[in-house]
Amino acid sequence: MSEWKTVSVIGMGYIGLPTCAVFASRGISVIGVDVNRRVVDSVNRGEVHIVEPDLDGLIQKVVSNGKLRASLSPEPADAFVIAVPTPITDDRKPDISHVLAAGRSIAPCLKKGDLVVLESTSPVGTTRTLSALLAELRPDLSFPHSAGEEADVQVAYSPERVLPGKVLAELVNNDRSVGGISRRSSERAASLYASFVAGDLVITSAEAAELVKLTENAFRDVNIAFANELAAVCQDLSLNV
């Protein structure tokens, strides 16, 4: 029997909503949280607000069978998965304000034994910053950045690595790095994702997992830029790229 009865996903965008769907499809009760009332209302009607093959049918199914419901504010759960945007500021700095806002919103709901997992693309060190923020807001609980293996609440980082158009299949089939602030955090996060991931769960540190995600994004970016430059060269040479 799974230890994960209820999972709350904070942010129901291109990653958060499919993540809600796959957790719910495994029989876990999921509370999807979003600050946008239109998103919350549409999900509660069993409708999707993003374009992704097969997602609409799955959302309709898990909403109708009671495994997924959406809310404007977090509620108690066994695990909290944060999948909010991390945009770039005008001066090209990473903006983690949404991550910190998500942390503030879940803090009142936390209890001993809970797990918090950050999925958003984030600078190295963000997961520890999140853990420190939660500790500041909940001095009655201990967190792994200071209490290590004995922490009341475990905190980890596990990035998604999916291709739009194939999100549902890739969430399940792709390998995934899982980096906890403590070993116990890593193990509990791996246990959570094992509920739906068929690929390998590679256990590492929070910082290593954060850098894995940044490296993969940068590698893809460089390859796309190179392909674009090659296309420009071929155009000048009247060659088919």
Side-chain angles (χ1 to χ4, degrees):
M1 200 69 177
S2 171
E3 65 175 305
W4 308 106
K5 303 285 188 291
T6 310
V7 173
S8 181
V9 178
I10 315 300
M12 290 192 294
Y14 282 92
I15 300 304
L17 188 59
T19 301
C20 286
V22 290
F23 273 127
S25 72
R26 298 310 193 264
I28 296 169
S29 292
V30 180
I31 305 159
V33 179
D34 204 282
V35 294
N36 187 328
R37 181 176 287 281
R38 279 184 304 174
V39 169
V40 169
D41 290 345
S42 70
V43 170
N44 281 331
R45 289 194 301 268
E47 299 168 1
V48 299
H49 58 284
I50 60 175
V51 178
E52 182 61 39
D54 305 321
L55 182 61
D56 52 351
L58 186 55
I59 289 291
Q60 201 169 16
K61 179 183 174 183
V62 295
V63 169
S64 64
N65 70 15
K67 286 300 174 186
L68 171 63
R69 63 184 174 83
S71 174
L72 283 165
S73 55
E75 300 171 26
D78 302 317
F80 295 85
V81 175
I82 297 175
V84 296
T86 45
I88 300 295
T89 63
D90 291 341
D91 56 350
R92 302 197 174 194
K93 297 281 193 302
D95 177 4
I96 62 165
S97 61
H98 298 298
V99 170
L100 300 180
R104 289 186 196 95
S105 74
I106 66 171
C109 301
L110 295 176
K111 62 188 182 302
K112 187 171 182 175
D114 283 356
L115 169 70
V116 177
V117 185
L118 177 59
E119 288 195 1
S120 309
T121 305
S122 303
V124 174
T126 304
T127 309
R128 279 184 190 273
T129 300
L130 175 64
S131 184
L133 172 67
L134 294 172
E136 191 181 307
L137 296 168
R138 290 298 302 273
D140 56 314
L141 294 170
S142 61
F143 292 82
H145 68 282
S146 57
E149 306 300 329
E150 304 306 314
D152 294 330
V153 177
Q154 304 298 335
V155 184
Y157 182 81
S158 184
E160 52 71 27
R161 42 192 307 269
V162 294
L163 196 64
K166 297 181 180 177
V167 171
L168 289 176
E170 295 207 344
L171 275 175
V172 172
N173 295 318
N174 285 356
D175 298 342
R176 190 171 191 129
S177 57
V178 181
I181 292 180
S182 64
R183 180 78 189 179
R184 179 89 180 115
S185 296
S186 299
E187 288 167 352
R188 295 212 62 218
S191 155
L192 175 67
Y193 286 106
S195 64
F196 69 80
V197 173
D200 290 338
L201 292 167
V202 182
I203 289 186
T204 183
S205 67
E207 288 79 9
E210 288 165 339
L211 189 58
V212 161
K213 175 61 174 167
L214 296 172
T215 302
E216 190 165 82
N217 281 17
F219 183 80
R220 184 178 294 169
D221 213 32
V222 168
N223 276 273
I224 292 168
F226 177 67
N228 287 339
E229 290 300 314
L230 203 56
V233 169
C234 288
Q235 193 169 13
D236 289 346
L237 297 172
S238 301
L239 293 171
N240 184 327
V241 67

